[in-house]
Amino acid sequence: SYELTQPPSVSVAPGQTATITCGGNNIARKGVHWYQQKPGQAPVLLVYDGSERPPGISERFSGSGSGNTATLTISRVEAGDEADFHCQVWDPLSDCPGIFGGGTKLTVL
Amino acid sequence: EVQLVESGGGLGQPGGSLRLSCAASGFSFSSYDMNWVRQAPGKGLEWVAYIRSSGGPIHYADSVKGRFTISRDNAKDSLSLQMNSLRAEDTAIYYCARVVGERYHFYMDVWGKGTTVTVSS
């Protein structure tokens, strides 16, 4: 079955750029989606189809991908960005098509 | 306002049953596929089940296959998850989520606030 690998944690100082990766076999060829989840809240769609932002999502959040790695980049990090970030793909050829990465905790120093 | 509201969570006995519901409003529920996603305490998100807008096909995670049943009532704008043979590892917050996407690059653009299920004797 297809697996997604995320680093458990990433730390960054305010104003700097945070990079969160999501690894998977040929992941750049799949539609990769990212969610932000703040403590005690439901996940919120942040980026879909690798690099598209839903309405209302800040331009500071951007997605990209190449080969076996998809990347979520957060520029000019703010204290309010501290959250868990989850990547997700849909594998239509699988009997269990919904796949999430393990999640990454972003800490703003 | 587009909204999903889950209910039905609570304390369940090991081996027992619970039924979760999700009420949809603000959009044409019958036009959308739906997912259940759960999150165990301190853990990441885990996809649980999917149902097509028309009611089929249906897919389940291996961890719940044969024990959980997803269903929907498009006339009542409602999604359900029947949970049988509960196990301690089913303890989690359960979210219902609207599925969108093209070319089977499905993702979830609207989420409910979740309902908490605790399985314990």
mmCIF file of all heavy atoms in Angstrom, chain A residues 45-63 72-73, chain B residues 107:
data_model
loop_
_atom_site.group_PDB
_atom_site.id
_atom_site.type_symbol
_atom_site.label_atom_id
_atom_site.label_comp_id
_atom_site.label_asym_id
_atom_site.label_seq_id
_atom_site.Cartn_x
_atom_site.Cartn_y
_atom_site.Cartn_z
ATOM 1 N N LEU A 45 -8.307 22.794 4.981
ATOM 2 C CA LEU A 45 -7.600 22.621 3.717
ATOM 3 C C LEU A 45 -6.727 23.838 3.442
ATOM 4 O O LEU A 45 -7.221 24.974 3.437
ATOM 5 C CB LEU A 45 -8.600 22.409 2.581
ATOM 6 C CG LEU A 45 -8.011 22.242 1.179
ATOM 7 C CD1 LEU A 45 -7.213 20.938 1.083
ATOM 8 C CD2 LEU A 45 -9.127 22.266 0.129
ATOM 9 N N LEU A 46 -5.452 23.578 3.170
ATOM 10 C CA LEU A 46 -4.472 24.645 2.991
ATOM 11 C C LEU A 46 -4.012 24.748 1.524
ATOM 12 O O LEU A 46 -3.915 25.839 0.961
ATOM 13 C CB LEU A 46 -3.273 24.349 3.874
ATOM 14 C CG LEU A 46 -2.377 25.463 4.372
ATOM 15 C CD1 LEU A 46 -3.170 26.480 5.167
ATOM 16 C CD2 LEU A 46 -1.264 24.875 5.245
ATOM 17 N N VAL A 47 -3.722 23.604 0.952
ATOM 18 C CA VAL A 47 -3.242 23.515 -0.437
ATOM 19 C C VAL A 47 -3.829 22.244 -1.036
ATOM 20 O O VAL A 47 -3.862 21.200 -0.376
ATOM 21 C CB VAL A 47 -1.698 23.459 -0.499
ATOM 22 C CG1 VAL A 47 -1.215 23.099 -1.908
ATOM 23 C CG2 VAL A 47 -1.084 24.787 -0.056
ATOM 24 N N TYR A 48 -4.282 22.326 -2.283
ATOM 25 C CA TYR A 48 -4.774 21.130 -2.966
ATOM 26 C C TYR A 48 -4.095 20.988 -4.321
ATOM 27 O O TYR A 48 -3.560 21.966 -4.880
ATOM 28 C CB TYR A 48 -6.298 21.140 -3.087
ATOM 29 C CG TYR A 48 -6.858 22.236 -3.971
ATOM 30 C CD1 TYR A 48 -7.153 21.990 -5.299
ATOM 31 C CD2 TYR A 48 -7.102 23.509 -3.448
ATOM 32 C CE1 TYR A 48 -7.669 22.985 -6.103
ATOM 33 C CE2 TYR A 48 -7.621 24.506 -4.245
ATOM 34 C CZ TYR A 48 -7.903 24.246 -5.578
ATOM 35 O OH TYR A 48 -8.421 25.231 -6.371
ATOM 36 N N ASP A 49 -4.101 19.775 -4.829
ATOM 37 C CA ASP A 49 -3.475 19.481 -6.118
ATOM 38 C C ASP A 49 -2.033 20.012 -6.194
ATOM 39 O O ASP A 49 -1.609 20.559 -7.219
ATOM 40 C CB ASP A 49 -4.300 20.053 -7.270
ATOM 41 C CG ASP A 49 -5.574 19.262 -7.511
ATOM 42 O OD1 ASP A 49 -5.700 18.160 -6.929
ATOM 43 O OD2 ASP A 49 -6.452 19.737 -8.258
ATOM 44 N N GLY A 50 -1.323 19.836 -5.120
ATOM 45 C CA GLY A 50 0.097 20.167 -5.111
ATOM 46 C C GLY A 50 0.420 21.606 -4.817
ATOM 47 O O GLY A 50 1.308 21.894 -3.997
ATOM 48 N N SER A 51 -0.288 22.549 -5.473
ATOM 49 C CA SER A 51 0.122 23.950 -5.356
ATOM 50 C C SER A 51 -1.031 24.948 -5.380
ATOM 51 O O SER A 51 -0.780 26.152 -5.389
ATOM 52 C CB SER A 51 1.089 24.278 -6.493
ATOM 53 O OG SER A 51 0.452 24.102 -7.749
ATOM 54 N N GLU A 52 -2.255 24.468 -5.397
ATOM 55 C CA GLU A 52 -3.405 25.370 -5.463
ATOM 56 C C GLU A 52 -3.888 25.747 -4.066
ATOM 57 O O GLU A 52 -3.952 24.889 -3.178
ATOM 58 C CB GLU A 52 -4.543 24.713 -6.242
ATOM 59 C CG GLU A 52 -4.180 24.315 -7.662
ATOM 60 C CD GLU A 52 -3.844 25.526 -8.516
ATOM 61 O OE1 GLU A 52 -4.545 26.552 -8.410
ATOM 62 O OE2 GLU A 52 -2.876 25.441 -9.298
ATOM 63 N N ARG A 53 -4.229 27.007 -3.895
ATOM 64 C CA ARG A 53 -4.747 27.472 -2.604
ATOM 65 C C ARG A 53 -6.244 27.719 -2.687
ATOM 66 O O ARG A 53 -6.717 28.379 -3.613
ATOM 67 C CB ARG A 53 -4.061 28.766 -2.171
ATOM 68 C CG ARG A 53 -2.731 28.616 -1.488
ATOM 69 C CD ARG A 53 -2.267 29.983 -0.962
ATOM 70 N NE ARG A 53 -2.233 30.970 -2.040
ATOM 71 C CZ ARG A 53 -1.199 31.141 -2.849
ATOM 72 N NH1 ARG A 53 -0.131 30.387 -2.715
ATOM 73 N NH2 ARG A 53 -1.240 32.065 -3.802
ATOM 74 N N PRO A 54 -7.004 27.235 -1.686
ATOM 75 C CA PRO A 54 -8.438 27.572 -1.649
ATOM 76 C C PRO A 54 -8.615 29.053 -1.349
ATOM 77 O O PRO A 54 -7.700 29.707 -0.831
ATOM 78 C CB PRO A 54 -8.967 26.725 -0.489
ATOM 79 C CG PRO A 54 -7.907 25.724 -0.202
ATOM 80 C CD PRO A 54 -6.612 26.348 -0.610
ATOM 81 N N PRO A 55 -9.794 29.590 -1.652
ATOM 82 C CA PRO A 55 -10.065 30.986 -1.300
ATOM 83 C C PRO A 55 -9.864 31.231 0.181
ATOM 84 O O PRO A 55 -10.260 30.419 1.019
ATOM 85 C CB PRO A 55 -11.548 31.155 -1.691
ATOM 86 C CG PRO A 55 -11.797 30.111 -2.702
ATOM 87 C CD PRO A 55 -10.927 28.957 -2.344
ATOM 88 N N GLY A 56 -9.248 32.367 0.514
ATOM 89 C CA GLY A 56 -9.076 32.737 1.904
ATOM 90 C C GLY A 56 -7.792 32.260 2.545
ATOM 91 O O GLY A 56 -7.497 32.644 3.682
ATOM 92 N N ILE A 57 -7.039 31.422 1.849
ATOM 93 C CA ILE A 57 -5.764 30.936 2.384
ATOM 94 C C ILE A 57 -4.653 31.909 1.981
ATOM 95 O O ILE A 57 -4.528 32.267 0.811
ATOM 96 C CB ILE A 57 -5.444 29.525 1.885
ATOM 97 C CG1 ILE A 57 -6.522 28.541 2.366
ATOM 98 C CG2 ILE A 57 -4.055 29.092 2.346
ATOM 99 C CD1 ILE A 57 -6.653 28.422 3.870
ATOM 100 N N SER A 58 -3.842 32.267 2.945
ATOM 101 C CA SER A 58 -2.788 33.248 2.734
ATOM 102 C C SER A 58 -1.784 32.799 1.671
ATOM 103 O O SER A 58 -1.448 31.618 1.574
ATOM 104 C CB SER A 58 -2.045 33.504 4.050
ATOM 105 O OG SER A 58 -0.885 34.281 3.843
ATOM 106 N N GLU A 59 -1.271 33.760 0.908
ATOM 107 C CA GLU A 59 -0.239 33.480 -0.097
ATOM 108 C C GLU A 59 1.065 33.039 0.553
ATOM 109 O O GLU A 59 1.976 32.566 -0.138
ATOM 110 C CB GLU A 59 -0.005 34.721 -0.944
ATOM 111 C CG GLU A 59 -1.191 35.103 -1.816
ATOM 112 C CD GLU A 59 -0.903 36.344 -2.655
ATOM 113 O OE1 GLU A 59 0.130 37.000 -2.428
ATOM 114 O OE2 GLU A 59 -1.733 36.643 -3.533
ATOM 115 N N ARG A 60 1.177 33.193 1.861
ATOM 116 C CA ARG A 60 2.393 32.741 2.544
ATOM 117 C C ARG A 60 2.519 31.217 2.515
ATOM 118 O O ARG A 60 3.593 30.683 2.737
ATOM 119 C CB ARG A 60 2.417 33.237 3.994
ATOM 120 C CG ARG A 60 2.457 34.744 4.132
ATOM 121 C CD ARG A 60 2.653 35.161 5.586
ATOM 122 N NE ARG A 60 1.604 34.692 6.476
ATOM 123 C CZ ARG A 60 1.732 33.690 7.334
ATOM 124 N NH1 ARG A 60 2.884 33.040 7.431
ATOM 125 N NH2 ARG A 60 0.726 33.346 8.108
ATOM 126 N N PHE A 61 1.413 30.543 2.249
ATOM 127 C CA PHE A 61 1.425 29.079 2.175
ATOM 128 C C PHE A 61 1.494 28.663 0.705
ATOM 129 O O PHE A 61 0.658 29.076 -0.104
ATOM 130 C CB PHE A 61 0.173 28.491 2.808
ATOM 131 C CG PHE A 61 0.054 28.752 4.280
ATOM 132 C CD1 PHE A 61 -0.662 29.853 4.746
ATOM 133 C CD2 PHE A 61 0.664 27.912 5.199
ATOM 134 C CE1 PHE A 61 -0.762 30.110 6.105
ATOM 135 C CE2 PHE A 61 0.562 28.157 6.565
ATOM 136 C CZ PHE A 61 -0.151 29.260 7.019
ATOM 137 N N SER A 62 2.499 27.854 0.365
ATOM 138 C CA SER A 62 2.628 27.397 -1.012
ATOM 139 C C SER A 62 3.078 25.951 -1.044
ATOM 140 O O SER A 62 3.757 25.480 -0.128
ATOM 141 C CB SER A 62 3.611 28.282 -1.790
ATOM 142 O OG SER A 62 4.893 28.217 -1.210
ATOM 143 N N GLY A 63 2.670 25.261 -2.106
ATOM 144 C CA GLY A 63 3.037 23.862 -2.248
ATOM 145 C C GLY A 63 3.792 23.622 -3.537
ATOM 146 O O GLY A 63 3.595 24.317 -4.529
ATOM 147 N N LEU A 72 5.542 21.666 1.470
ATOM 148 C CA LEU A 72 4.732 22.803 1.882
ATOM 149 C C LEU A 72 5.690 23.860 2.424
ATOM 150 O O LEU A 72 6.484 23.568 3.322
ATOM 151 C CB LEU A 72 3.730 22.400 2.955
ATOM 152 C CG LEU A 72 2.889 23.528 3.545
ATOM 153 C CD1 LEU A 72 1.881 24.037 2.508
ATOM 154 C CD2 LEU A 72 2.168 23.073 4.807
ATOM 155 N N THR A 73 5.621 25.054 1.869
ATOM 156 C CA THR A 73 6.481 26.146 2.297
ATOM 157 C C THR A 73 5.638 27.244 2.932
ATOM 158 O O THR A 73 4.617 27.655 2.368
ATOM 159 C CB THR A 73 7.268 26.718 1.113
ATOM 160 O OG1 THR A 73 8.057 25.675 0.513
ATOM 161 C CG2 THR A 73 8.195 27.838 1.563
ATOM 162 N N TYR B 107 -9.739 15.246 -2.371
ATOM 163 C CA TYR B 107 -9.332 15.863 -1.119
ATOM 164 C C TYR B 107 -10.588 16.329 -0.396
ATOM 165 O O TYR B 107 -11.700 16.169 -0.896
ATOM 166 C CB TYR B 107 -8.355 17.024 -1.353
ATOM 167 C CG TYR B 107 -8.858 18.110 -2.269
ATOM 168 C CD1 TYR B 107 -9.437 19.271 -1.767
ATOM 169 C CD2 TYR B 107 -8.739 17.983 -3.658
ATOM 170 C CE1 TYR B 107 -9.893 20.277 -2.608
ATOM 171 C CE2 TYR B 107 -9.211 18.981 -4.505
ATOM 172 C CZ TYR B 107 -9.773 20.127 -3.983
ATOM 173 O OH TYR B 107 -10.229 21.117 -4.821
#
